[in-house]
Amino acid sequence: QVQLRESGGGLVQAGGSLRLSCAASGRTFSNYVMGWFRQAPGKEREFVAAIRWTGGSTNYADSVKGRFTISRPNAKNTVYLQMNSLKPEDSAVYYCAARSIFTTTYDYWGQGTQVTVSS
């Protein structure tokens, strides 16, 4: 049974930093892409960043490029999202998700972690 467990959310002032973690378990993820998404109240869920489990290629939403970094250290089943220079508009529930490299649909989702950035 696949489990994705996020942690690391919280309240931070604008300009500050947070690091989110996503602990993945329940299968081998070597042919998977791990993604971070976020959803603010009254808004649709949006893509933030993704990383290929094997090889480590990444991509980012334009709104977070240069401020957020997604990573997966070798030999760890954990994906990180380092968030720097946070803005109030980054406030949202952040979700970790996983999809096969052979599809475009994310099949597995975590429960989410709240990030609130105060101005």
Side-chain angles (χ1 to χ4, degrees):
Q1 181 181 356
V2 173
Q3 285 194 328
L4 303 176
R5 187 168 299 172
E6 304 97 333
S7 60
L11 173 63
V12 64
Q13 287 189 330
S17 298
L18 280 175
R19 188 178 78 160
L20 305 183
S21 300
C22 172
S25 61
R27 67 163 299 130
T28 300
F29 291 94
S30 55
N31 286 328
Y32 271 68
V33 173
M34 307 298 293
W36 284 98
F37 292 76
R38 65 187 182 187
Q39 187 167 22
K43 294 189 176 181
E44 302 228 339
R45 185 171 58 199
E46 64 174 356
F47 169 79
V48 175
I51 185 168
R52 188 158 169 168
W53 191 274
T54 303
S57 60
T58 60
N59 64 299
Y60 297 90
D62 287 344
S63 58
V64 306
K65 277 181 184 175
R67 300 189 299 122
F68 290 12
T69 302
I70 188 170
S71 64
R72 189 195 72 80
N74 287 338
K76 291 197 73 172
N77 277 18
T78 301
V79 177
Y80 299 100
L81 185 68
Q82 178 68 42
M83 305 186 295
N84 299 329
S85 302
L86 282 162
K87 305 174 182 180
E89 51 264 43
D90 293 318
S91 297
V93 177
Y94 282 71
Y95 297 91
C96 178
R99 67 168 175 86
S100 166
I101 61 172
F102 303 112
T103 72
T104 58
T105 302
Y106 282 84
D107 296 313
Y108 304 108
W109 293 84
Q111 81 288 350
T113 185
Q114 177 71 48
V115 171
T116 303
V117 185
S118 63
S119 56

